[in-house]
Amino acid sequence: MRWEELGDQPCSMSRTLAVVGDRWTLLILRDCFLGVRRFDAFERRIGLTRHLLADRLKKLVEHEVLVKVPYQQKPLREEYRLTDKGLALHPVILSLVSWGDTWMADERGAPIEHYHKGCGQRMKPVMVCSECAEPVGARDIEARPAAAFGEDAQRLVAG
């Protein structure tokens, strides 16, 4: 399968990767969640060429993960803001950060600590069941093919 064909696959992971599946896009999203909104700030923080940065931002806007909002009229200047669709990626980004904090950190530990505004405590992301609120891990979940996808989904589940 070719990279350009990922978005056409009957697989949610493939479709997601078609939008956010490269390292530069993930770093852009990381910075969005840290409050970065302007092109020059992304360029300065990530170190990506203007052409590649413009390409990644355009794709995120096309897929309605980000929206361009004017912050100055003369001359027109726009910044990038997360949409609801983009905000829904927060658990993904936070989980990747947490994985990196656990498995990739050096002796100093995590470079950024996350605090829950509600209770003020340092926190780590935990996945819970939407029905019973019990924490779940990889061994606690069973994947079943959705009937509407027939054999396509069966192949994904069967591995």
Side-chain angles (χ1 to χ4, degrees):
M1 171 184 350
R2 295 174 38 191
W3 181 254
E4 307 86 49
E5 299 168 352
L6 275 182
D8 300 328
Q9 299 301 309
C11 169
S12 295
M13 175 66 86
S14 295
R15 291 175 184 169
T16 301
L17 289 174
V19 179
V20 299
D22 73 83
R23 60 184 170 214
W24 301 120
T25 301
L26 291 172
L27 291 175
I28 290 167
L29 289 169
R30 173 206 61 191
D31 280 2
C32 286
F33 286 111
L34 292 173
V36 177
R37 295 182 176 160
R38 297 186 181 169
F39 187 95
D40 291 342
F42 287 117
E43 183 181 31
R44 195 171 44 255
R45 289 173 57 96
I46 298 172
L48 188 56
T49 65
R50 292 183 72 81
H51 172 74
L52 285 174
L53 177 58
D55 180 64
R56 296 315 189 273
L57 289 168
K58 180 181 176 187
K59 187 174 197 174
L60 290 169
V61 169
E62 286 172 355
H63 286 275
E64 300 175 347
V65 173
L66 298 177
V67 64
K68 290 167 69 171
V69 177
Y71 68 87
Q72 177 181 309
Q73 292 301 322
K74 294 182 181 183
L76 178 63
R77 302 258 189 236
E78 298 174 309
E79 62 186 16
Y80 297 88
R81 296 204 179 182
L82 290 157
T83 62
D84 288 343
K85 188 175 183 179
L87 288 168
L89 286 166
H90 188 255
V92 176
I93 300 301
L94 194 56
S95 291
L96 286 170
V97 169
S98 181
W99 185 89
D101 291 346
T102 301
W103 299 104
M104 304 303 291
D106 63 20
E107 66 280 349
R108 295 172 292 176
I112 297 174
E113 297 175 339
H114 295 91
Y115 289 82
H116 179 225
K117 289 181 181 179
C119 69
Q121 297 298 309
R122 185 170 177 208
M123 56 82 59
K124 291 185 179 190
V126 176
M127 183 175 286
V128 299
C129 173
S130 61
E131 303 306 310
C132 70
E134 183 178 316
V136 294
R139 291 186 174 99
D140 302 316
I141 298 173
E142 176 186 355
R144 297 179 186 171
F149 284 87
E151 289 183 26
D152 290 334
Q154 186 65 42
R155 279 193 300 272
L156 288 172
V157 173

